Amino acid sequence: MANANPTISNQSSLDSISDEGKERKTSPQVLCFGELLIDFVPTVSGVSLAEAPGFKKAPGGAPANVAVGVSRLGGSAAFLGKVGDDEFGYMLSNILKQNNVDNSGMKFDKHARTALAFVTLRADGEREFMFFRNPSADMLLTEAELDKDLIKKSAIFHYGSISLIHDPCKSAHLAAMQIAKKAGCILSYDPNLRLALWPSAEAARTGIMSIWDQADIIKISEEEIEFLTRGSDPQDDNVVLTKLFHPNTKLLIVTEGSSGCRYYTKDFHGKVGGVKVKCVDATGAGDAFVGGVLNSLASNPQLYKDEKKLRDALKFANVCGAITVTERGAIPSLPTKEAVIKKMKETDA
């Protein structure tokens, strides 16, 4: 196992990251599948939804956040999903386009609204959710509406678990995964547990784990480990390796918030420390982290085999997440590559 806090060759890691994704048009594409919605975030922290004096409207949805995260870092990204044929839906589509995300795979439903989520910010910046989706358009994407060519031409196919909760979106999700797998895409999975959306805790565990063994890359939080393993110690390497690391897994990453992350491959595992910042809103931090990882992985698909390069990429991703928590909302807070490199230089000084 790698030392938890080794000295990293800072300049070489910055140089390797700076060289990645310079040519957007030629860089391999990351395709993100799933939900795109509006987050309503209170304008003040530490109050309930009922007590909030006002809300800031922010585009969100984990897969869409990741797509924008990749694009902001200079990579090539696309989004595949469904929104309502309404003002919010077209606003979200335009936001993706403005952020250089390919939105050609988006569908618009005339009979269902774009999903909304009200996000309560506790005083520590952590969140609680109230969703409005009964059903929302993202739940109604069908297999027939999938842009199969968009999937086949992508290098990485990234998804969460919310799209597994209800049909027809569940069937579309499973079909898209099979198309991606057959096309040779790297499959990337962030469960992104939102327990309030599932019929029960047991349904959430079963649904999340039903596709676990198919992913090449998995990102999971400590809280999700505890949930999926029914209370096992999320900091115990043996718990991760015996209960969550599957023979098909190439890279499993455990995020620890401001403490950084742990990584597990078939050949090695270790920890990369985080960056301390003042947390205003944790929304999108994990997605920014995933965007950082996938952008690096798109440039170097064998990244998980080289521990030095993997650690550099994870350090970069940690900074992506740290910058994102310093502002409210997800997509508005996602950093550019220049901002990340500047922050890395500041923390290394």
Side-chain angles (χ1 to χ4, degrees), residues 67 96 104 143 147 149 185 238 270 290 348:
L96 292 185
S104 62
E143 183 177 345
D147 186 334
D149 289 335
C185 300
N238 288 327
V290 173
D348 290 336

Side-chain angles (χ1 to χ4, degrees), residues 253-265:
I253 304 168
V254 179
T255 52
E256 301 178 335
S258 61
S259 297
C261 65
R262 306 197 306 270
Y263 57 89
Y264 302 83
T265 73

Side-chain angles (χ1 to χ4, degrees), residues 8 61 65 72 94 111 132 134 148 152 160 169 186 195 213 233 292 333 340 342:
I8 295 177
N65 294 343
R72 287 257 178 97
N94 288 335
H111 306 291
F132 288 77
N134 292 309
K148 296 179 176 61
K152 290 174 183 175
C169 187
I186 295 170
L195 199 52
D213 61 347
D233 182 358
S333 308
V340 178
K342 180 184 176 185

